[in-house]
Amino acid sequence: MKKIALAVAAVALVALGVFGTLAVQRTFQPSVSLSSTSIQEQLSNCSELATAKLDYRGLVRYEEGDIDFINKKAFSMVYDAEVRAGVDLSQAHVEVSGNAVTVTLPAPQMFGVEIDPDSIEFYDSSFALFNWESREDTSEALKLAQSDAEGKVDQTGMLDQARSQAHSLVENLLSPFTEGEGSYEVRVVDA
């Protein structure tokens, strides 16, 4: 009888130890379980996240030919452009280790320069007798405008702004998981 009582007491102690260990582990685990795959999918759904925008008004001068009034034509073109920069979140890398989440963002990039065709105005047009205005001239002027706007972007610090905005947005996206008992610690870093 004594052996049976000891065996029952031993089984009870083992069960108490197992359940106690599970209870302690659950206490220190986050209440919501995150995986790097689930975060990666959510970020990929955002894809190209434009976090910085610049409205730019530019002026370009177009000239073709070399002899005035004979084959040299020229004009100035004023245009409005919208320049967007941001981060491609489908290229982000997510790592979850315990209750630490590290999101590595790719470098910010230019998403494009969009010239508003309704804003284009031509000034100072010069006439050439043997070199008439054509659609190719306007196309070349638009290419000049595109490169002009892209050149101005580097001067504005737009990519730095896009980087800091992307950090803030990803941190805010994951902030619900950083509050409360058993929460995650989120860190956003650059690649």
Side-chain angles (χ1 to χ4, degrees):
M1 204 54 170
K2 205 175 188 183
K3 287 185 180 183
I4 293 176
L6 283 174
V8 169
V11 169
L13 284 175
V14 169
L16 183 63
V18 168
F19 289 122
T21 303
L22 290 174
V24 168
Q25 286 178 347
R26 285 186 184 166
T27 302
F28 292 112
Q29 282 184 346
S31 59
V32 176
S33 178
L34 289 178
S35 70
S36 61
T37 306
S38 65
I39 296 172
Q40 184 72 42
E41 285 177 9
Q42 293 300 317
L43 292 176
S44 291
N45 287 339
C46 295
S47 190
E48 288 185 353
L49 176 65
T51 55
K53 183 180 106 169
L54 171 71
D55 290 323
Y56 177 72
R57 184 154 182 92
L59 169 71
V60 292
R61 177 92 177 140
Y62 176 78
E63 292 183 0
E64 182 183 50
D66 53 359
I67 303 171
D68 286 337
F69 302 113
I70 304 296
N71 71 346
K72 184 176 184 179
K73 61 182 170 184
F75 58 86
S76 296
M77 183 177 85
V78 176
Y79 65 94
D80 290 334
E82 178 181 282
V83 185
R84 292 178 296 112
V87 175
D88 184 0
L89 290 181
S90 65
Q91 302 298 317
H93 176 71
V94 179
E95 185 178 317
V96 177
S97 177
N99 68 341
V101 177
T102 304
V103 179
T104 306
L105 296 178
Q109 60 189 6
M110 296 299 303
F111 287 147
V113 175
E114 187 176 315
I115 296 174
D116 181 9
D118 295 333
S119 70
I120 296 174
E121 298 174 20
F122 295 97
Y123 296 99
D124 300 330
S125 296
S126 63
F127 174 75
L129 188 60
F130 296 109
N131 193 356
W132 294 86
E133 228 177 281
S134 68
R135 292 178 192 212
E136 293 171 7
D137 296 338
T138 306
S139 173
E140 288 300 317
L142 286 172
K143 288 178 186 174
L144 282 172
Q146 181 96 11
S147 63
D148 177 57
E150 287 172 357
K152 301 298 185 207
V153 169
D154 295 336
Q155 298 173 12
T156 64
M158 190 171 186
L159 294 177
D160 290 334
Q161 180 186 1
R163 175 183 291 112
S164 67
Q165 289 290 338
H167 277 256
S168 296
L169 288 169
V170 171
E171 288 169 355
N172 288 338
L173 179 69
L174 298 175
S175 68
F177 303 108
T178 63
E179 300 167 358
E181 188 176 315
S183 61
Y184 286 89
E185 179 185 332
V186 175
R187 211 174 67 142
V188 181
V189 296
D190 294 320

